[in-house]
């Protein structure tokens, strides 16, 4: 199965833990924003660093939250997906009704597993070989989460372009 490309910056994965959840509240925007900032710090020490004190606070905040919870994160099944600034497209074994709202739960890191849960609305569902291709539009996010999410997508997009250039050389 092949996921179509999203116009503009996007993150494409052949296999990413991702699930569509209904009757589930999105995760805490502040927590997801902090997680994305810490993930950026771990993945690329010099990308999007505001100052050392801010980054240390983000790490401490996240560690305290995780310490208070069980670390038994149950990840969803892996699927092919493309995450963009406005949309997410993924393959699923079952159809979803157009206009249904829910939460897209996904994990960006095997090393630091955490389910990002962002509200979305299904805008198309097409049958493809072996399943369905679902496209959903992200619903409004808080300003801090949107900023962190956009930086994450741009970072992965730049990394992908850099890898393509290296292959050509």
């Amino acid at each position: 199965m092949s996921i179509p490309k999203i116009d503009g910056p996007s993150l494409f994965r052949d296999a990413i833990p991702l699930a569509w959840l209904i009757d589930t509240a999105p995760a805490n925007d502040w927590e997801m924003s902090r997680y994305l900032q810490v993930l950026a710090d771990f993945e690329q020490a010099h990308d999007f660093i505001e100052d050392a004190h801010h980054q240390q606070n983000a790490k401490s905040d996240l560690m305290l939250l995780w310490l208070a919870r069980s670390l038994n994160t149950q990840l969803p099944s892996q699927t092919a997906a493309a995450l963009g600034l406005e949309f997410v497209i993924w393959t699923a074994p079952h159809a979803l009704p157009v206009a249904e709202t829910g939460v897209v739960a996904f994990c960006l890191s095997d090393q630091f597993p955490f389910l990002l849960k962002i509200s979305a609305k299904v805008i198309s569902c097409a049958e493809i070989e072996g399943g369905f291709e679902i496209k959903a539009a992200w619903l409004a996010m808080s300003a801090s989460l949107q900023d962190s999410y956009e930086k994450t997508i741009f970072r992965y997009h730049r990394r992908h372009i850099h890898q393509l250039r290296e292959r050509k050389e």
Side-chain angles (χ1 to χ4, degrees), residues 102-165:
V103 171
V104 177
F106 59 97
C107 180
L108 294 175
S109 172
D110 294 331
Q111 191 173 13
F112 301 103
F114 176 74
L115 273 180
L116 295 161
K117 296 178 181 176
I118 302 176
S119 297
K121 181 177 184 176
V122 175
I123 58 173
S124 71
C125 180
E127 190 168 0
I128 58 172
E129 182 182 329
F132 295 86
E133 180 183 284
I134 314 293
K135 183 176 183 179
W138 298 122
L139 296 180
M141 299 178 208
S142 69
S144 64
L145 177 58
Q146 184 160 356
D147 182 59
S148 296
Y149 177 77
E150 288 175 355
K151 286 178 180 177
T152 299
I153 295 300
F154 277 108
R155 186 176 77 252
Y156 282 113
H157 185 72
R158 278 195 322 271
R159 188 178 302 155
H160 177 71
I161 290 170
H162 181 71
Q163 290 169 347
L164 290 176
R165 287 182 183 157

Side-chain angles (χ1 to χ4, degrees), residues 4-93:
K5 299 214 184 253
I6 294 176
D7 289 335
S10 60
L11 162 64
F12 175 80
R13 295 264 175 93
D14 288 324
I16 184 173
L18 186 144
W20 177 255
L21 307 172
I22 52 174
D23 298 329
T24 300
N28 179 288
D29 283 3
W30 178 86
E31 185 177 2
M32 290 189 294
S33 178
R34 288 294 195 196
Y35 171 77
L36 292 172
Q37 291 170 12
V38 170
L39 187 60
D41 186 43
F42 281 114
E43 289 181 346
Q44 286 188 338
H46 302 292
D47 198 16
F48 298 117
I49 292 180
E50 295 171 22
D51 64 35
H53 180 73
H54 182 267
Q55 289 299 321
Q56 189 58 43
N57 284 343
K59 290 177 191 177
S60 297
D61 291 343
L62 195 58
M63 284 189 297
L64 288 172
L65 281 170
W66 283 354
L67 184 61
R69 292 195 227 171
S70 135
L71 293 177
N72 295 330
T73 302
Q74 187 69 25
L75 297 179
S77 300
Q78 295 199 7
T79 187
L83 293 100
L85 298 176
E86 298 178 14
F87 305 100
V88 57
I89 302 171
W90 74 96
T91 57

Side-chain angles (χ1 to χ4, degrees), residues 89-103:
I89 302 171
W90 74 96
T91 57
H94 306 290
L96 292 176
V98 173
E100 180 176 77
T101 58
V103 171

